[in-house]
Amino acid sequence: MNDARNILDELNDRSREVFRRVVESYLDSGDPVGSRTLTRSLSEKVSAATIRNVMQDLEFLGLLDSPHVSAGRVPTQMGLRMFVDGFLEVSDPEVADREKIEATVSGSNSADVGGLLDRVGAALSGVTHGASLVLAPKQEAEIRHIEFVSLAQDRALVVLVFADGHVENRLFKPPPGQTPSSMREATNFLNTLIEGRTLRDARTVIRTEIAARRQQIDSLAREMVESGLAVWDEGEGDSARLIVRGRSNLLDEDGFGEELDRIRTLFDDLERKRDIEQFLDLAEDGEGVRIFIGSENKLFSLSGSSLVVSPYMNADRKIIGAVGVIGPTRLNYGRIVPIVDYTAQLVGKLISDRS
């Protein structure tokens, strides 16, 4: 994605317009776009040969591809990503689309959330002519098992198994530096204490233990600080370091060498629990409308598909679920994105009104 942004910055105005016209034409028709077609639509009057040269340059950059010899160009996955990030113009949903969604999901006053979400899925499929994705509201219920799974360097999955047998999978972006082994460690630790508790309860327990570890560290380090052998270096947030002066001299000080080992162990434990607390927070976190193109779509691993998804919130502005549309990479993103966003807002309002 960063490569696409860098390339976008380097394109001149003519290359940008040619690229944008190719993608827009492809998304509209699904057919490869030739240079002669573009000569009739460009704002600048240039020859077909000039446009062919520009298209060849865009192909060399990995933004366009030739499905057949001399058959015109289509955007690559990287090209579609650059178009979505840099050229896509999103407006409000069309009135007709909005009315169809409202009529479908507002047709009943029943408190049955499951029925509401079924109608949401049907509405999205009908309006967008794609497959719908609807994630039910997150439950604040007792958990039987939790597991963190690394999917990629910047993507992870948390699997929650609730006491009633209900299972939820939630995607999140792990903190920088976290590894599959640290996620396994968090999984093992949490499963020793989470059964019979909610996520909120588990966070409370973790925070209590973090506070207890900090108190233990403060107590052990106080005498060292008062004696001038160490000093606190307060970092950002709750982080802090104990800087020890003349470590080799500690061996000559009664008990301080042993206390330093205990402090180091407590610091390690404190950092692990802070990581675990962050994992729990991220398990409930979410993002705005997201677009996954082709192989970016790790939920389904369909190389020829795109996913447009948006979370919905309850009355407390807390993300509780998500709605989305799955379709070919040749989606009308400018139309689909506002539909998904509007539907997510509508679902959040309806669920809030029923609670």
Side-chain angles (χ1 to χ4, degrees):
M1 192 181 304
N2 288 333
D3 290 341
R5 290 195 182 113
N6 293 335
I7 293 172
L8 176 61
D9 292 337
E10 296 172 2
L11 295 181
N12 60 32
D13 291 342
R14 178 182 293 170
S15 296
R16 283 170 176 256
E17 185 176 8
V18 168
F19 172 73
R20 181 173 61 82
R21 297 280 185 177
V22 169
V23 178
E24 288 176 345
S25 179
Y26 171 74
L27 293 180
D28 182 56
S29 68
D31 298 324
V33 183
S35 55
R36 293 189 182 276
T37 302
L38 291 181
T39 58
R40 295 189 291 269
S41 62
L42 288 179
S43 57
E44 179 187 9
K45 295 305 178 183
V46 294
S47 68
T50 299
I51 294 178
R52 277 197 297 273
N53 289 335
V54 174
M55 294 170 77
Q56 287 174 354
D57 291 341
L58 293 171
E59 185 173 355
F60 176 77
L61 292 172
L63 301 178
L64 300 182
D65 191 20
S66 303
H68 306 288
V69 177
S70 69
R73 265 70 169 191
V74 298
T76 62
Q77 178 178 309
M78 186 170 75
L80 284 173
R81 168 51 61 190
M82 191 174 85
F83 176 81
V84 166
D85 290 345
F87 292 89
L88 183 64
E89 296 180 0
V90 177
S91 58
D92 294 332
E94 296 177 7
V95 174
D97 292 334
R98 193 169 64 241
E99 290 177 346
K100 287 178 184 177
I101 294 170
E102 289 174 352
T104 304
V105 303
S106 304
S108 171
N109 292 321
S110 169
D112 178 16
V113 174
L116 167 65
L117 296 180
D118 284 342
R119 292 194 297 277
V120 168
L124 277 176
S125 294
V127 171
T128 64
H129 304 292
S132 61
L133 171 73
V134 180
L135 301 181
K138 297 175 182 177
Q139 297 188 0
E140 189 63 25
E142 294 181 355
I143 296 174
R144 181 186 302 160
H145 183 80
I146 186 171
E147 186 158 355
F148 295 96
V149 181
S150 176
L151 300 178
Q153 187 174 4
D154 63 345
R155 213 72 184 152
L157 181 76
V158 58
V159 182
L160 300 169
V161 182
F162 293 91
D164 61 1
H166 176 75
V167 178
E168 287 187 15
N169 300 323
R170 304 178 187 175
L171 285 171
F172 68 96
K173 184 176 181 178
Q178 296 301 321
T179 63
S181 62
S182 67
M183 292 188 190
R184 285 193 297 271
E185 185 176 346
T187 294
N188 294 335
F189 177 83
L190 285 172
N191 281 315
T192 63
L193 63 83
I194 203 166
E195 186 169 1
R197 292 188 169 102
T198 65
L199 279 180
R200 186 174 302 173
D201 294 337
R203 275 204 308 276
T204 300
V205 172
I206 293 294
R207 286 170 180 167
T208 300
E209 293 206 16
I210 287 174
R213 292 296 181 273
R214 182 57 195 262
Q215 287 178 350
Q216 287 178 275
I217 292 172
D218 284 342
S219 177
L220 286 170
R222 185 177 298 115
E223 190 175 349
M224 294 174 63
V225 172
E226 290 174 351
S227 66
L229 293 171
V231 63
W232 280 114
D233 175 29
E234 298 292 341
E236 296 181 2
D238 294 328
S239 63
R241 293 184 305 155
L242 183 68
I243 299 177
V244 179
R245 295 166 171 166
R247 287 172 179 264
S248 60
N249 295 330
L250 289 177
L251 299 177
D252 300 327
E253 301 288 340
D254 292 338
F256 279 144
E258 183 179 340
E259 284 194 5
L260 186 60
D261 287 337
R262 292 178 61 192
I263 290 172
R264 187 181 297 113
T265 300
L266 287 169
F267 262 122
D268 290 342
D269 188 61
L270 178 66
E271 289 307 310
R272 281 196 298 271
K273 287 182 170 54
R274 281 178 176 158
D275 288 343
I276 291 169
E277 180 191 20
Q278 200 168 14
F279 278 134
L280 286 175
D281 289 338
L282 290 170
E284 290 196 330
D285 209 355
E287 300 156 317
V289 178
R290 293 291 307 279
I291 300 173
F292 299 93
I293 299 172
S295 60
E296 297 173 354
N297 185 354
K298 294 186 172 59
L299 272 175
F300 306 100
S301 299
L302 300 175
S303 59
S305 70
S306 285
L307 167 66
V308 179
V309 62
S310 177
Y312 56 86
M313 303 179 182
N314 61 12
D316 299 325
R317 303 298 296 167
K318 179 181 178 182
I319 293 171
I320 57 174
V323 298
V325 170
I326 308 162
T329 54
R330 195 180 66 80
L331 276 177
N332 184 344
Y333 296 98
R335 175 172 176 261
I336 300 298
V337 168
I339 288 174
V340 170
D341 185 37
Y342 178 76
T343 304
Q345 294 179 43
L346 184 60
V347 171
K349 182 179 184 303
L350 290 172
I351 289 180
S352 297
D353 292 344
R354 293 163 188 242
S355 59

